[in-house]
Amino acid sequence: MLEALERGEDVFAISFHPMLSACHRNILAARDTLPPEKAARLHVFAPLGLCTVNYVVRDALRMSRSLTAVELCERAAYVDARSADLMFASAESYNKMVASGRIPKPLVAKDVQDGETMVMGRFSPNSDEKQEPMKRVMGLVSTVHREPAAGDSESKAHDFTLSKIKATLKPNEVLKDVTVFCTGCVDLAHKIAKKIAAVLPVDGGLEAIIVYGEVLLDSMMSSWGNSKIAYWVDTLPAEH
C-alpha cells in the first residue's frame, strides 16, 4: 500500500465496518499519519454487512481495470446496499448465541424449542425500505422466520427462504457472488448451492456459487451442519 502511494497511485482499501471491528478505525488512524498528498489518495470503504467485504473485494477485482479508486468506492457502496446475509441456526445454536450475549435483548426470540430452525438476516435488499447502519449491522442476528420443529426443519427453512428471495426479485435482477457456508459439512453446502441454482437466477449459474465447509465466524456462532447464504443483487441490462 505504501509503495503504491509512493508511486503516486491511488489506493482502494476495504475493511469491516467500525461497528463490527477496529480495522476501519486503524486504517483511518494510519492514513492520518501520512502526508496530505498521500492521504488524499488512500480511499477507504467499510461495508455494513459481515459477508459484504467478500462481495466488495471480488467485485472490485473484476472492475479494477476499468474503474478508478474513487469510482470503486462508489461501486462498493452500490454492492453493499444490494447485499444480503442469511443464517440458518438450529435451536441449539440460537440459544447459545442468546446465552453468550451476541444477540441484543430486544432482538431475542422467545421460547425457541429443540428442532426449530431460526432464519436470521434479511431475505433480500429489496425487502428493506431503508438502509440504517444499525439495522444492517444487527440484521444478521434479527430473526425473519421461524421454521417449526417438524421433519428436516433446516431444509424447509431453505425452501421457504429461497421462495421469499425469488418473490422480491425484479425483472432482470440476478444474484451475484452467491456464497454458501455450512459448518463442518461441505457436502451439505453443495446441496444447498444446487438448490439455489435451480430456484434463483444466479449470475454464472451453479459453477459461480462459492462453497465453504467452515469459516471461523460460523464455527463460533453455529452448531455442526448449520448453514448460511450470502449474496448481492445486480440488475442486468434490459436486453437480458
Side-chain angles (χ1 to χ4, degrees), residues 47-121:
L48 283 166
L50 281 170
C51 283
T52 315
V53 173
N54 293 329
Y55 319 144
V56 171
V57 170
R58 293 189 190 110
D59 189 72
L61 289 172
R62 288 193 295 261
M63 306 297 291
S64 59
R65 293 185 178 182
S66 58
L67 299 179
T68 66
V70 173
E71 291 170 334
L72 284 173
C73 277
E74 295 172 353
R75 172 75 178 182
Y78 170 78
V79 173
D80 184 33
R82 304 292 296 154
S83 70
D85 302 321
L86 287 154
M87 180 183 291
F88 301 83
S90 64
E92 178 187 8
S93 293
Y94 186 84
N95 289 327
K96 284 181 178 178
M97 283 188 278
V98 172
S100 71
R102 290 191 178 99
I103 302 179
K105 289 184 178 179
L107 300 179
V108 172
K110 306 299 182 184
D111 302 319
V112 177
Q113 303 298 313
D114 287 346
E116 284 189 271
T117 295
M118 309 296 289
V119 183
M120 297 180 287

Side-chain angles (χ1 to χ4, degrees), residues 55 58 177-181 209-212 228-231:
Y55 319 144
R58 293 189 190 110
D177 295 314
V178 179
T179 308
V180 181
F181 309 86
I209 298 179
I210 302 153
V211 173
Y212 291 108
K228 185 178 176 194
I229 297 171
Y231 65 94

Side-chain angles (χ1 to χ4, degrees), residues 99-161:
S100 71
R102 290 191 178 99
I103 302 179
K105 289 184 178 179
L107 300 179
V108 172
K110 306 299 182 184
D111 302 319
V112 177
Q113 303 298 313
D114 287 346
E116 284 189 271
T117 295
M118 309 296 289
V119 183
M120 297 180 287
R122 63 174 179 167
F123 293 119
S124 166
N126 293 335
S127 63
D128 283 348
E129 294 182 357
K130 298 180 180 180
Q131 299 285 339
E132 301 98 333
M134 184 57 71
K135 182 177 182 181
R136 282 290 311 282
V137 171
M138 299 312 300
L140 193 58
V141 292
S142 299
T143 300
V144 292
H145 176 65
R146 290 177 68 164
E147 187 64 37
D152 188 346
S153 65
E154 184 161 350
S155 180
K156 292 178 180 178
H158 292 149
D159 294 339
F160 176 86
T161 297

